[in-house]
Amino acid sequence: MEQAEVPPQRAVCDPCPNEDAVASIWSTLCNGFSAGKHWLLLLLQSLQNVRTTPLAHSLATYRQMVNWDEACIRCIAIHPTSRHQALITSEDIVHLFVNWVDPAAQLQAPEQVDLYCVAYRPCTNRELAVGCAAGIYIWRNVSSQLWGKRLLSHKAHIHVTSVQWNQPGTTLVSVAMGSRQIIVWNTDSAQTIRMLSASISFLLYSPDFQLLFGASSDAGADVCYVERRCWQLEHILAERPIQTAAWTAGSTYLLFVQKDDTHLYSITRYADLGVFLKPQLFWTFELVADLHEIFVLGKQKHHGQAQAIAVDPLNIYLAVIYKRQPFVLLCKLSMKKHAKLRIIPWEYIHCDDEQARGQCAYATCMCFGHAKENGRRRTLTIGWNTGYYQVEWLKTDNYKRCI
């Protein structure tokens, strides 16, 4: 870099004509402004990748996670048809595994900070989407050890809190903190296909991919009827701030817990057949259980507020994470025809890391594995605030690892 020419130094006692004095003052001001602008630009560039405390706390309200700003493990995603898994840590690193045994890769980038969510692209285990402060990073495995990345960004869509692929993996849907838009992306061209006006913090495709549930921690919830040409939004849970939600297999029920509440509710869709060729769906609302008061072996236990729920792909289990409780509650689902949906408390899953026993360990996130009819691959993976993750084989033995 070429240095600016330095004017001759002038002694304090040297005489200075008026014109020379004015020129000197003007030159000094210009040099000072130029130097100030340079340092300001450097400061702004350095602040792009620095998270602030108010931001971290505000982001925590948009997640089903316990204490997002403190949790070592923030998100777990398992590929729906293979043995590949992804795990996000507070160090803004995406850890990739094969069957939780072989570390496959660690994905990180300078601009990829404040990671929130991760989702594998269907039909391939070599590509995944990661939501972060800069937007959405699309990572693709181009060789055995090399991963390439592309950034999907929009000026009004930063700090992405939820991403969902459609069934064939041709489009990606995302929502972001503070944004009033749902964006549908064509990831191959990095272009937006459509933008829907809605204040949403997390998304959930129904298992049949006919409905897209979008919920907010302060503005209720919407259901989007997904069609090729038209996406229609319907507000179904007005004035009910949603804490966590999960679809049952077959898209029969949508289970949810409201913010600052202890009750588990369900909504079910029915078609008003009548004489319409395309019947209008309507929703029935029902209380399922109080997750605070649980009866186990005839004894009543109080657990507080539920933070997150998850449903087994075979509709056998429902798992519940509570705020700062040292266990995960595993329940069985009772979904008999023409009968009310019920849950049966089954067992408590505690952290089995010996080093974490004295550290007040509590679960921060979880994910059910893909299902097999023989049950050998029905798993529940739990991330603990200490950085330990635990894989529970629900019908056989346990396997666990610690990052």
Side-chain angles (χ1 to χ4, degrees):
M1 180 181 296
E2 297 183 358
Q3 295 183 353
E5 183 179 355
V6 180
Q9 294 185 357
R10 191 181 297 274
V12 177
C13 59
D14 288 344
C16 179
N18 291 337
E19 294 182 0
D20 195 11
V22 172
S24 178
I25 293 173
W26 179 252
S27 177
T28 302
L29 290 175
C30 290
N31 290 338
F33 176 77
S34 178
K37 180 181 178 181
H38 172 73
W39 286 108
L40 180 60
L41 290 175
L42 289 179
L43 178 62
L44 291 176
Q45 291 174 0
S46 65
L47 287 178
Q48 287 182 352
N49 299 330
V50 177
R51 62 180 61 86
T52 60
T53 301
L55 175 63
H57 284 289
S58 63
L59 292 176
T61 65
Y62 279 77
R63 291 292 298 161
Q64 306 178 76
M65 193 182 311
V66 180
N67 295 337
W68 177 90
D69 51 326
E70 300 177 1
C72 292
I73 299 179
R74 293 179 170 174
C75 182
I76 297 173
I78 300 178
H79 195 275
T81 58
S82 71
R83 298 179 296 172
H84 291 250
Q85 304 92 14
L87 185 150
I88 288 179
T89 66
S90 58
E91 297 175 344
D92 293 325
I93 299 176
V94 182
H95 298 262
L96 302 182
F97 298 88
V98 179
N99 203 25
W100 295 116
V101 178
D102 303 320
Q106 294 183 359
L107 309 180
Q108 60 184 133
E111 299 82 10
Q112 185 177 265
V113 298
D114 289 331
L115 306 189
Y116 269 88
C117 47
V118 58
Y120 278 97
R121 188 171 189 173
C123 304
T124 177
N125 52 34
R126 302 171 66 88
E127 191 169 347
L128 65 162
V130 180
C132 63
I136 306 170
Y137 269 97
I138 304 296
W139 291 89
R140 186 177 184 182
N141 187 208
V142 295
S143 67
S144 59
Q145 299 295 330
L146 179 63
W147 286 76
K149 64 181 185 298
R150 295 180 292 111
L151 177 63
L152 306 181
S153 63
H154 190 277
K155 61 181 181 180
H157 206 71
I158 59 175
H159 296 292
V160 173
T161 57
S162 185
V163 291
Q164 292 276 290
W165 294 92
N166 67 347
Q167 187 173 21
T170 54
T171 61
L172 182 71
V173 189
S174 67
V175 291
M177 187 192 73
S179 173
R180 297 185 177 275
Q181 300 286 341
I182 301 174
I183 295 185
V184 184
W185 303 85
N186 182 327
T187 58
D188 294 330
S189 64
Q191 299 295 320
T192 59
I193 298 176
R194 58 172 47 90
M195 299 179 68
L196 307 174
S197 296
S199 180
I200 298 298
S201 58
F202 66 91
L203 299 166
L204 282 174
Y205 259 119
S206 60
D208 60 8
F209 290 92
Q210 298 300 310
L211 297 171
L212 182 64
F213 176 75
S216 171
S217 59
D218 55 8
D222 295 315
V223 165
C224 182
Y225 298 91
V226 180
E227 296 181 1
R228 292 184 178 181
R229 296 182 179 179
C230 177
W231 290 42
Q232 179 185 357
L233 283 174
E234 178 185 352
H235 207 54
I236 60 172
L237 295 173
E239 300 180 358
R240 288 181 178 270
I242 305 300
Q243 173 65 44
T244 179
W247 289 96
T248 60
S251 310
T252 306
Y253 295 96
L254 176 66
L255 304 177
F256 69 93
V257 177
Q258 296 178 187
K259 188 177 181 180
D260 300 324
D261 193 10
T262 63
H263 295 91
L264 176 69
Y265 296 95
S266 72
I267 52 175
T268 310
R269 53 176 177 164
Y270 291 97
D272 183 11
L273 298 178
V275 296
F276 299 101
L277 295 178
K278 291 186 177 181
Q280 179 68 32
L281 295 180
F282 67 95
W283 300 83
T284 59
F285 183 85
E286 191 173 49
L287 173 65
V288 177
D290 186 351
L291 296 177
H292 172 58
E293 297 181 353
I294 299 296
F295 288 87
V296 180
L297 300 177
K299 296 182 180 180
Q300 186 180 27
K301 295 186 177 181
H302 297 84
H303 298 328
Q305 297 179 7
Q307 186 76 21
I309 61 173
V311 175
D312 165 44
L314 289 183
N315 274 350
I316 296 177
Y317 296 107
L318 168 76
V320 184
I321 288 179
Y322 291 89
K323 293 183 178 180
R324 291 188 176 274
Q325 291 285 8
F327 57 79
V328 173
L329 175 65
L330 189 66
C331 304
K332 280 199 170 182
L333 287 171
S334 176
M335 301 176 60
K336 297 180 180 180
K337 192 174 182 179
H338 305 302
K340 178 181 177 181
L341 173 67
R342 296 189 305 115
I343 62 171
I344 304 170
W346 194 250
E347 66 173 311
Y348 293 99
I349 302 175
H350 293 82
C351 181
D352 57 7
D353 180 18
E354 297 181 356
Q355 298 180 357
R357 290 181 179 177
Q359 302 180 25
C360 300
Y362 55 86
T364 59
C365 55
M366 61 183 173
C367 184
F368 277 102
H370 55 81
K372 296 293 183 180
E373 293 298 333
N374 59 11
R376 292 184 59 83
R377 294 198 179 279
R378 188 179 295 116
T379 60
L380 176 64
T381 304
I382 305 169
W384 301 89
N385 64 312
T386 59
Y388 182 80
Y389 73 85
Q390 180 174 331
V391 181
E392 290 288 326
W393 295 86
L394 301 181
K395 290 248 177 139
T396 56
D397 200 0
N398 297 342
Y399 192 82
K400 62 284 295 183
R401 278 286 188 271
C402 185
I403 292 180

